[in-house]
């Protein structure tokens, strides 16, 4: 979906090394970081700090976790290169991968049981990694102030994406933070991958059971609900995360390379 800001910063630092003395290259990267963060709204800055901080998030290169869905006894292991956003999903009878260009499925797309492995491959990683991924480049913010949903108050932050950012740049998110702790408790999100048309027919995602992993806080529970006219409706899915780990070491790119015989799930093209 969205690339994190650190990849851009590496590129800028590399160019700077070729244009300026070595002693100045760190200053160039530092100034770019300051400029990027100056664009964050106050609410996002505070929420990032409440979840462990963007510097701590950017210090890691690899994330891994197990994912299970209520009603399904299979457990998936997701491995993500946080710098390049390469992804590998190991299921019981299938593997999905993103090598930086293509999303592939092995042995077949049908074997994954997903309507679209491309849509699915980083879906729950992105939800799981909010608010950190909201610090990615190409994102627009609107502080909604105090928002009330079903008699509960939140601090609301609406997010949209620049053209060409990810596979579904018409998506909209509204992150709802606890007004006292600034912990993310509710996300409203739209799905435009299949149509490419912007709309505000939101789904609701409840965040809970936070755990501290290497100084960063992540929800071990995500519950997807219907949402209509300001009301959270019936439960649609219930996701549990476990065995969450973060590493400063990057995994080999070969882990994400498409194996022989795998099928490519091409980007949805809207006519």
């Amino acid at each position: 979906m969205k690339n994190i800001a650190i990849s851009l910063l590496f590129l800028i630092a590399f160019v700077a090394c070729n244009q300026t003395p070595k002693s100045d290259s760190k200053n160039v990267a530092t100034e770019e970081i300051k400029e990027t963060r100056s664009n964050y709204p106050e609410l996002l800055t505070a929420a990032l700090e409440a979840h462990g901080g963007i510097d701590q998030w950017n210090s890691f290169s690899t994330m891994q976790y197990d994912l299970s869905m209520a009603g399904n006894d299979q457990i998936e292991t997701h491995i993500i290169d946080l710098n390049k956003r390469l992804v590998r999903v190991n299921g019981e009878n299938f593997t999905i991968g993103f090598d930086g260009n293509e999303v592939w499925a092995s042995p077949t797309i049908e074997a994954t049981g997903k309507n679209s492995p491309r849509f699915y491959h980083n879906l729950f990683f992105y939800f799981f990694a909010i608010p950190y991924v909201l610090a990615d480049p190409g994102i627009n913010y609107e502080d909604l102030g105090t928002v009330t949903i079903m008699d509960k108050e939140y601090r609301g932050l609406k997010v949209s994406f620049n053209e060409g950012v990810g596979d579904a740049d018409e998506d909209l998110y509204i992150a709802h933070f606890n007004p006292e702790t600034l912990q993310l408790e509710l996300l409203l999100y739209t799905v435009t991958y299949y149509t490419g048309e912007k709309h505000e027919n939101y789904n609701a995602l409840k965040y809970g059971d936070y755990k501290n992993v290497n100084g960063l806080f992540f929800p071990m529970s995500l519950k997807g609900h219907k949402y209509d006219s300001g009301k959270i409706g019936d439960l649609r899915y219930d996701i549990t995360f476990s065995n969450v780990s973060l590493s400063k070491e990057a995994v080999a790119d070969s882990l994400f390379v498409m194996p022989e015989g795998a099928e490519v799930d091409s980007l949805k093209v809207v006519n």
Side-chain angles (χ1 to χ4, degrees), residues 67-76 92 114 238:
L67 179 154
S68 59
M69 182 176 293
N72 187 336
D73 58 3
Q74 292 193 22
I75 296 177
E76 300 173 359
E92 184 175 324
K114 318 295 182 186
D238 187 348

Side-chain angles (χ1 to χ4, degrees), residues 174-189:
I174 304 179
H176 293 70
F177 300 98
N178 182 294
E180 296 181 359
T181 66
L182 292 181
Q183 189 171 80
L184 180 64
E185 294 186 346
L186 175 68
L187 180 74
L188 301 184
Y189 67 94

Side-chain angles (χ1 to χ4, degrees), residues 70-271:
N72 187 336
D73 58 3
Q74 292 193 22
I75 296 177
E76 300 173 359
T77 299
H78 294 218
I79 305 168
I80 301 95
D81 182 317
L82 295 176
N83 296 332
K84 301 176 183 177
R85 293 290 170 84
L86 308 182
V87 177
R88 183 181 178 102
V89 178
N90 294 324
E92 184 175 324
N93 301 307
F94 69 89
T95 304
I96 296 172
F98 175 60
D99 60 12
N101 293 305
E102 302 287 358
V103 173
W104 51 265
S106 179
T108 63
I109 292 175
E110 183 179 4
T112 69
K114 318 295 182 186
N115 289 332
S116 169
R118 186 172 188 107
F119 173 74
Y120 180 80
H121 79 281
N122 63 354
L123 175 67
F124 287 110
F125 158 70
Y126 202 77
F127 288 155
F128 184 63
I130 293 174
Y132 314 110
V133 292
L134 297 186
D136 288 355
I139 295 181
N140 308 299
Y141 312 100
E142 180 184 356
D143 189 334
L144 301 180
T146 299
V147 177
T148 302
I149 295 180
M150 299 182 71
D151 298 324
K152 186 171 183 178
E153 290 188 347
Y154 303 91
R155 288 290 307 280
L157 182 68
K158 188 172 184 178
V159 170
S160 62
F161 303 95
N162 290 345
E163 183 177 357
V165 174
D167 286 350
D169 55 19
E170 298 292 349
D171 283 356
L172 296 172
Y173 295 162
I174 304 179
H176 293 70
F177 300 98
N178 182 294
E180 296 181 359
T181 66
L182 292 181
Q183 189 171 80
L184 180 64
E185 294 186 346
L186 175 68
L187 180 74
L188 301 184
Y189 67 94
T190 65
V191 177
T192 65
Y193 176 83
Y194 295 101
T195 66
E197 298 177 357
K198 183 171 288 186
H199 60 81
E200 298 213 22
N201 299 318
Y202 289 97
N203 304 281
L205 190 60
K206 290 183 177 181
Y207 285 61
D209 191 19
Y210 274 87
K211 301 294 183 184
N212 185 328
V213 181
N214 296 89
L216 295 170
F217 290 90
F218 295 95
M220 299 299 107
S221 171
L222 294 180
K223 297 182 185 295
H225 290 259
K226 295 179 180 179
Y227 182 81
D228 184 45
S229 302
K231 295 183 179 180
I232 299 172
D234 294 340
L235 181 69
R236 298 176 55 239
Y237 58 85
D238 187 348
I239 300 290
T240 299
F241 296 87
S242 59
N243 301 319
V244 181
S245 66
L246 292 163
S247 173
K248 296 181 184 295
E249 300 297 322
V251 294
D253 286 355
S254 58
L255 184 69
F256 308 101
V257 172
M258 182 172 63
E260 185 175 354
E263 295 180 351
V264 172
D265 188 16
S266 299
L267 174 64
K268 174 74 174 179
V269 177
V270 180
N271 296 322

